């Protein structure tokens, strides 16, 4: 099977087409960074030929289904646009959680709508307070003074699998500085990632609710900056969507 390796700010994906999505065992093999292609997840994309240009489904590296992936959505949108599936630079992408708008705004830069977000209750895990956010998928956000010193690799997996989150959760450690947010993410089913689009949106939503930032903010992730806009409780993100390489696998 032919594939394309893409990434959004280092959050990387194996992108494939086909009539049937890959099996869970295959997804795990592809994402293995030592024995496979290596990726944070797999994007299965197909043209729709309807009002929406593209259909996208996404799986984490462990084979679990993810409801939404912001960086993956940008990559899928660029992939479909470059394949000629969209007739304009402003189109829609079908996902398992609904239809999301996408805009090609520049060379390798894509703006996508993640849909409505909802800031929920706070929970305490191991003495740390986390803000629960739904941004197409679940998130738990906490604020720290220094993201480099944050206990991401120890506290991240504990929060991900805590009983407060029966479907598990993504975990964000954020530090606000003026009109920017420094962010590290422990992603559900993956571990630490260089970038997380929905995580950036979820964190910006909490920060705005608390009065820390305005409606538009730059989120600085390990893989680079992502612009987040919060408009009428709908999150938009703008950032790079890039190709790494193409290949073929027998698996």
């Amino acid at each position: 099977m032919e594939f394309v390796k893409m990434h959004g700010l280092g959050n990387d994906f194996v992108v494939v087409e086909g009539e049937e999505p890959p099996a869970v065992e295959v997804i795990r093999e592809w994402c293995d960074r030592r024995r496979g292609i290596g990726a944070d997840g797999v994007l299965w994309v197909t043209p729709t030929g309807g009002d929406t240009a593209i259909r996208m489904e996404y799986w984490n590296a462990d084979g679990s289904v993810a409801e939404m992936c912001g960086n993956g959505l940008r990559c899928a949108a660029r992939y479909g646009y470059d394949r000629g599936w969209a007739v304009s630079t402003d189109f829609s992408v079908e996902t398992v959680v609904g239809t999301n708008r996408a805009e090609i705004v520049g060379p390798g830069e894509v703006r996508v709508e993640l849909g409505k977000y909802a800031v929920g209750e706070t929970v305490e895990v191991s003495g740390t307070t986390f803000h629960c956010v739904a941004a197409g998928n679940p998130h738990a956000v906490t604020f720290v003074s220094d993201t480099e010193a944050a206990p991401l690799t120890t506290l991240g997996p504990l929060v991900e699998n805590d009983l407060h989150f029966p479907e598990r959760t993504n975990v964000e450690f954020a530090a606000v500085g003026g009109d920017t947010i420094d962010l590290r993410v422990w992603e559900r089913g993956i571990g630490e990632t260089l970038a997380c689009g929905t995580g950036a949106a979820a964190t910006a939503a909490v920060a705005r609710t608390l009065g820390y930032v305005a409606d538009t903010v730059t989120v600085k992730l390990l893989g680079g900056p992502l612009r987040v806009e919060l408009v009428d409780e709908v999150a938009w993100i703008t950032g790079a969507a890039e190709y790494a390489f193409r290949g073929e696998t027998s698996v």
Side-chain angles (χ1 to χ4, degrees):
M1 175 180 284
E2 295 181 350
F3 69 87
V4 175
K5 180 75 176 290
M6 299 185 72
H7 71 91
L9 304 178
N11 189 192
D12 56 346
F13 313 99
V14 177
V15 185
V16 292
E17 300 178 40
E19 294 183 1
E20 296 291 336
V24 170
E25 295 77 12
V26 171
I27 290 168
R28 291 171 179 161
E29 290 184 32
W30 285 351
C31 292
D32 190 310
R33 295 194 181 276
R34 289 183 171 82
R35 297 182 175 86
I37 301 166
D40 287 332
V42 171
L43 293 168
W44 180 54
V45 292
T46 53
T48 63
D51 293 335
T52 57
I54 301 162
R55 169 77 180 179
M56 177 196 94
E57 294 187 35
Y58 174 68
W59 292 264
N60 293 315
D62 66 353
S64 60
V65 175
E67 302 90 339
M68 172 53 67
C69 176
N71 291 319
L73 182 61
R74 293 203 319 282
C75 288
R78 182 181 178 186
Y79 180 91
Y81 178 79
D82 290 347
R83 294 279 284 169
W85 297 347
V87 297
S88 73
T89 57
D90 188 339
F91 53 94
S92 296
V93 180
E94 290 181 16
T95 71
V96 296
V97 294
T99 300
N100 301 75
R101 285 182 57 198
E103 301 173 6
I104 307 299
V105 297
E109 188 173 23
V110 183
R111 178 175 181 255
V112 294
E113 172 203 5
L114 298 183
K116 285 190 174 291
Y117 61 85
V119 178
E121 62 180 0
T122 60
V123 299
E124 187 170 303
V125 181
S126 296
T128 300
T129 299
F130 288 87
H131 300 264
C132 299
V133 189
N137 53 6
H139 293 268
V141 180
T142 191
F143 293 92
V144 297
S145 59
D146 180 4
T147 56
E148 290 188 8
L152 183 136
T153 57
T154 54
L155 188 53
L158 290 179
V159 178
E160 175 191 356
N161 295 285
D162 188 82
L163 293 177
H164 286 102
F165 308 103
E167 302 298 324
R168 297 187 297 164
T169 189
N170 302 284
V171 188
E172 283 77 33
F173 294 82
V176 179
D179 58 354
T180 64
I181 300 174
D182 288 330
L183 184 65
R184 290 177 67 191
V185 181
W186 180 270
E187 191 162 349
R188 177 182 59 170
I190 299 172
E192 184 170 17
T193 55
L194 294 180
C196 178
T198 56
T203 302
V206 176
R208 191 186 69 168
T209 299
L210 296 175
Y212 296 161
V213 298
D215 291 347
T216 300
V217 62
T218 297
V219 178
K220 296 180 178 179
L221 297 137
L222 295 179
L226 193 65
R227 176 185 172 91
V228 179
E229 304 163 75
L230 305 173
V231 183
D232 297 328
E233 298 185 352
V234 173
W236 292 77
I237 57 172
T238 304
E242 300 178 288
Y243 295 97
F245 58 86
R246 300 175 183 271
E248 187 172 340
T249 176
S250 59
V251 178

